[in-house]
């Protein structure tokens, strides 16, 4: 892979930024793609721009505003409260079809820039119940993408079996711990770095960080 090219699906958050550093170690050339679906906080796109600029990575921003029209939820509507799922239901932040569309368009982009590898930060260990973050979905989509475009893409999921503490550990091993901690946006309320401290994303991030700093991994 050292002589090959990858496209990283990039949001500017902890997971995708860790994957960006991982990809830089694995591949000769890396490009990033961010999807603009009129998400709740435009800061997410600004954050992604700043990170890729600082790292010198070519950055594509694709218009996916149709997804906003189709999928009203807490990430696309200010009036919908951010909350965990109840009685086995999905969280209010779940965007139906998001990863299906994102990965499909990342594949189209990859074919245009001659990249055979697609990297995404989805994770089944700390995945908040999102069905499109599961390993079985990614493997299925990998086959579908290759059949649909007659390509030989490989989708990489370096965080798939890591919890948040282990993801912090990976960032540290990549020499990116301070970068990820201070420059990424995970917070559902749009606050960079340690975030608001109370939304589900911040609580999960902080729990993993505390466990890592305590030496639990």
């Amino acid at each position: 892979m050292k002589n090959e090219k990858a496209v990283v699906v990039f949001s500017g958050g902890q997971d995708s930024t860790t994957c960006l550093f991982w990809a830089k170690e694995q591949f000769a050339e890396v490009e990033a793609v961010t999807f603009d679906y009129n998400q709740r906080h435009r800061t997410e796109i600004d954050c992604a721009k700043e990170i890729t600029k600082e790292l010198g990575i070519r950055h594509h921003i694709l218009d996916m505003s149709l997804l906003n029209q189709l999928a009203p939820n807490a990430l696309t509507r200010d009036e919908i409260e951010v909350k965990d799922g109840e009685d086995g239901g999905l969280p209010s932040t779940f965007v139906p079809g998001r990863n299906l569309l994102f990965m499909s368009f990342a594949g189209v982009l990859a074919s245009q820039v001659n990249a055979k590898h697609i990297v995404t930060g989805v994770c089944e260990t700390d995945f908040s119940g999102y069905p499109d973050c599961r390993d079985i979905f990614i493997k299925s989509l990998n086959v579908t993408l290759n059949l649909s475009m007659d390509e030989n893409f490989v989708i990489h999921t370096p965080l798939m079996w890591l919890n948040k503490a282990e993801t912090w550990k990976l960032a540290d091993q990549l020499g990116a711990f301070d970068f990820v901690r201070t420059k990424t946006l995970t917070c559902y309320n749009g606050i960079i770095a340690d975030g608001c401290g109370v939304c589900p994303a911040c609580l999960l991030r902080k729990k993993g960080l505390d466990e890592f700093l305590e030496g639990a991994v």
Side-chain angles (χ1 to χ4, degrees), residues 164-182:
K164 276 292 180 285
E166 291 166 333
T167 299
W168 282 112
K169 181 178 180 179
L170 176 59
D172 189 44
Q173 291 170 339
L174 293 167
F177 176 81
D178 289 336
F179 189 103
V180 171
R181 185 171 184 181
T182 60

Side-chain angles (χ1 to χ4, degrees), residues 107 111 115-116 142-153:
S111 70
K116 295 299 183 185
N142 201 156
V143 173
T144 300
L145 278 179
N146 288 342
L147 289 173
S148 69
M149 288 189 272
D150 196 23
E151 293 278 4
N152 291 300
F153 295 127

Side-chain angles (χ1 to χ4, degrees), residues 3-14:
N3 298 318
E4 298 182 347
K5 185 175 184 177
V7 169
V8 178
V9 178
F10 187 60
S11 70
Q14 174 191 0

Side-chain angles (χ1 to χ4, degrees), residues 82-172:
V82 173
K83 60 181 182 179
D84 289 326
E86 298 175 357
D87 300 321
L90 291 168
S92 67
T93 51
F94 175 63
V95 184
R98 181 172 60 172
N99 283 342
L100 173 63
L101 290 172
F102 286 4
M103 296 302 293
S104 297
F105 279 88
V108 175
L109 175 64
S111 70
Q112 297 302 308
V113 300
N114 296 313
K116 295 299 183 185
H117 301 270
I118 304 169
V119 182
T120 175
V122 297
C123 166
E124 192 167 321
T125 306
D126 283 332
F127 74 135
S128 301
Y130 295 173
D132 59 357
C133 288
R134 295 176 297 175
D135 185 60
I136 191 172
F137 163 71
I138 296 297
K139 283 184 167 60
S140 171
L141 184 60
N142 201 156
V143 173
T144 300
L145 278 179
N146 288 342
L147 289 173
S148 69
M149 288 189 272
D150 196 23
E151 293 278 4
N152 291 300
F153 295 127
V154 179
I155 300 178
H156 300 266
T157 55
L159 310 184
M160 181 58 75
W161 306 114
L162 304 184
N163 60 30
K164 276 292 180 285
E166 291 166 333
T167 299
W168 282 112
K169 181 178 180 179
L170 176 59
D172 189 44

